Amino acid sequence: MTTTHVPATREALSALPVEVAPLLLDALLETELDGERVVLRLSEVEAYHGRGTGDVPDPGSHARMGPTPRNATMWGEPGHLYVYLSHGIHSCVNVVCGPEGVAGGVLLRGAEVVEGADAARRRRSERGVVRHDRDLARGPGRLGDASGLRHPVHDGLDAVSDGSRAGARARLLLPVSPRRDIATGPRVGVAGVAGGDEFPWRFWIPDDPTVSVFRWGRGAGPGLSAAR
């Protein structure tokens, strides 16, 4: 039997987020909550660095100004899940990357539900209309819903040691053979320079139907970088 995925390790996630992010495409995020198991195959991710992480400051990161109670998980050891609340509604899931004490994370933007579709469909239908199964985890808010992980109770959940938090367990499995056909571009909906061409830190699988729709953030757009 051919092995396609292996459990993620701290070492495998210890590089900078922009280096780890493309390696997460086709990775599997497994969650268990209330006896229900959901497995997501990742199709779209975005890298974010914190203050002092890497050579280029990232103005789009939650950790751009340094450690805070909100972003504390980003400064911890790699492999934990940073779960934050977006627009006061959506719980979004990130994989913490980089050495402990160096902030960084990879936002999970899109995925295919390969196991546990019934649970994912019910969770999504409780929060909005579900028209197609491809949309169950298409976009970071939907992905958070489908996984069952919620802010703040599941923030910090360890996806490497298969630990548990607030009744949930998570495990990240990396593909044995990283994808070669990877597309890159600006991050979705990020304002200003952080959402422009200077930060092509969004990575996705071309033509995958579970990749979210791209939109420019406020003050970002084609050609604006050169004009600054």
Side-chain angles (χ1 to χ4, degrees):
M1 182 176 178
T2 302
T3 300
T4 59
H5 291 79
V6 295
T9 63
R10 310 268 184 231
E11 182 179 8
L13 302 172
S14 64
L16 295 180
V18 73
E19 299 168 349
V20 173
L23 304 180
L24 294 182
L25 295 177
D26 269 345
L28 302 176
L29 178 65
E30 301 177 352
T31 63
E32 285 190 29
L33 183 65
D34 298 329
E36 295 181 311
R37 183 170 183 264
V38 171
V39 181
L40 304 174
R41 179 189 61 84
L42 304 179
S43 61
E44 180 187 14
V45 297
E46 287 178 345
Y48 290 86
H49 291 185
R51 187 183 67 184
T53 304
D55 298 329
V56 181
D58 181 2
S61 171
H62 290 173
R64 62 187 178 277
M65 303 299 290
T68 68
R70 181 197 191 196
N71 66 36
T73 300
M74 292 183 72
W75 300 84
E77 63 182 352
H80 289 257
L81 301 180
Y82 169 48
V83 184
Y84 72 89
L85 197 63
S86 175
H87 302 294
I89 302 173
H90 306 294
S91 291
C92 300
V93 182
N94 301 252
V95 175
V96 174
C97 301
E100 186 172 2
V102 177
V106 176
L107 173 65
L108 308 184
R109 280 205 58 88
E112 175 192 10
V113 179
V114 295
E115 189 174 330
D118 288 344
R121 195 178 299 112
R122 190 194 70 254
R123 291 167 182 169
R124 280 293 307 131
S125 63
E126 290 171 353
R127 298 176 60 82
V129 177
V130 179
R131 293 185 173 86
H132 305 283
D133 277 0
R134 71 171 188 179
D135 295 328
L136 289 174
R138 189 185 186 206
R142 292 172 178 173
L143 189 153
D145 288 342
S147 73
L149 301 180
R150 310 304 300 164
H151 169 87
V153 294
H154 299 132
D155 180 34
L157 181 62
D158 192 348
V160 167
S161 71
D162 195 23
S164 64
R165 183 182 292 262
R169 305 179 71 89
R171 186 167 72 137
L172 180 66
L173 299 140
L174 301 180
V176 172
S177 301
R179 292 192 71 105
R180 296 182 181 274
D181 57 332
I182 292 174
T184 65
R187 297 176 292 195
V188 178
V190 178
V193 65
D197 296 332
E198 292 96 331
F199 292 90
W201 289 3
R202 172 180 173 242
F203 304 86
W204 68 95
I205 299 173
D207 300 321
D208 191 299
T210 64
V211 172
S212 63
V213 177
F214 178 78
R215 61 179 175 81
W216 294 105
R218 185 180 67 256
L224 292 182
S225 301
R228 291 188 178 97

